[in-house]
Amino acid sequence: MSKKYIIATLAILLLPLTLGAQGLRGSYFLDNSIVRTKLNPAFSPRANYFQLPVLSNTGVGVYGNIGASNVLYPMDGSLYLFLNKNVPADQFVNSLPAMPGIDISFDTNLLSFGFYGSDHSFWSVETGLTVDASVGLPKEFLEFAKRGPENGRVYSLKGFNIYANASLYASLGYSRDLSDVVKGLKIGAKARLLIPAAETSAHLG
């Protein structure tokens, strides 16, 4: 396995993607947001809506136990990537967790719409796709990326594993405004059907 290939793989795996997560959380506080019903089915926007497939609501997140402090090193007023020769190999290797890991989540809307059945009741329908994946990287994999071949040393990829699953989902939500009973009171509920679509896994023992 060439060092260039390993570097390219690391660059992809460590890319900090947070395209949709912050937007969804921020929408929780917007009265007219059409996506905050994802977080609380009691919420409802002020008007009926229809969301375009994929383009209207897509989120990607990457999480792991490797942080910036593991791969970026400030030295002499400069910031170096761990692959730089100025970064001691032992310092980098010792900073790594026993089993570095990365979790990836992806969620996209396929069809979504909502409408008022009356002045006080709101219905929402949503279908979408979710993908969850996890990657476990042997510590020696990253050590080889840093040190390269040294005196004929053999690096082991034992423990490398990857798991991914994809699911389709459909949900039906209902919200009722009870302000005529208690000012500002809304109740809601949502039923969700989850359909497994694909699953894959690999492990080097």
Side-chain angles (χ1 to χ4, degrees):
M1 185 180 294
S2 71
K3 195 169 183 179
K4 288 184 178 179
Y5 177 78
I6 292 176
I7 294 173
T9 302
L10 288 172
I12 294 172
L13 292 177
L14 297 176
L15 188 64
L17 298 175
T18 55
L19 300 181
Q22 294 299 326
L24 183 58
R25 294 189 183 99
S27 297
Y28 186 88
F29 301 99
L30 302 178
D31 290 339
N32 201 36
S33 170
I34 60 178
V35 298
R36 71 177 188 157
T37 56
K38 278 178 164 285
L39 303 175
N40 188 336
F43 288 142
S44 59
R46 297 173 184 169
N48 301 339
Y49 71 86
F50 175 83
Q51 290 186 293
L52 295 174
V54 181
L55 298 177
S56 58
N57 187 20
T58 296
V60 181
V62 177
Y63 317 91
N65 57 2
I66 303 176
S69 61
N70 298 113
V71 296
L72 297 175
Y73 293 82
M75 293 181 175
D76 302 323
S78 299
L79 190 63
Y80 296 106
L81 186 65
F82 73 98
L83 294 171
N84 191 282
K85 63 180 181 180
N86 292 315
V87 178
D90 289 339
Q91 181 181 354
F92 166 67
V93 173
N94 292 335
S95 74
L96 295 173
M99 176 55 78
I102 298 171
D103 294 324
I104 303 169
S105 64
F106 172 81
D107 183 293
T108 188
N109 171 70
L110 298 179
L111 177 65
S112 179
F113 59 90
F115 60 91
Y116 277 91
S118 67
D119 291 340
H120 301 288
S121 63
F122 184 82
W123 295 87
S124 61
V125 177
E126 181 182 7
T127 62
L129 169 69
T130 63
V131 178
D132 294 297
S134 62
V135 180
L137 299 172
K139 191 172 181 177
E140 289 192 29
F141 177 87
L142 299 175
E143 185 176 358
F144 174 68
K146 172 59 179 175
R147 297 185 189 274
E150 281 188 343
N151 301 322
R153 176 179 172 181
V154 176
Y155 293 87
S156 173
L157 293 184
K158 183 178 180 180
F160 175 86
N161 64 83
I162 183 170
Y163 171 79
N165 70 79
S167 300
L168 296 169
Y169 65 86
S171 65
L172 175 65
Y174 176 77
S175 173
R176 179 75 179 182
D177 189 344
L178 298 179
S179 294
D180 54 342
V181 179
V182 178
K183 185 177 180 180
L185 176 63
K186 289 185 177 182
I187 61 172
K190 179 175 288 189
R192 186 171 186 175
L193 175 65
L194 194 64
I195 306 171
E199 183 177 18
T200 185
S201 62
H203 178 75
L204 296 179

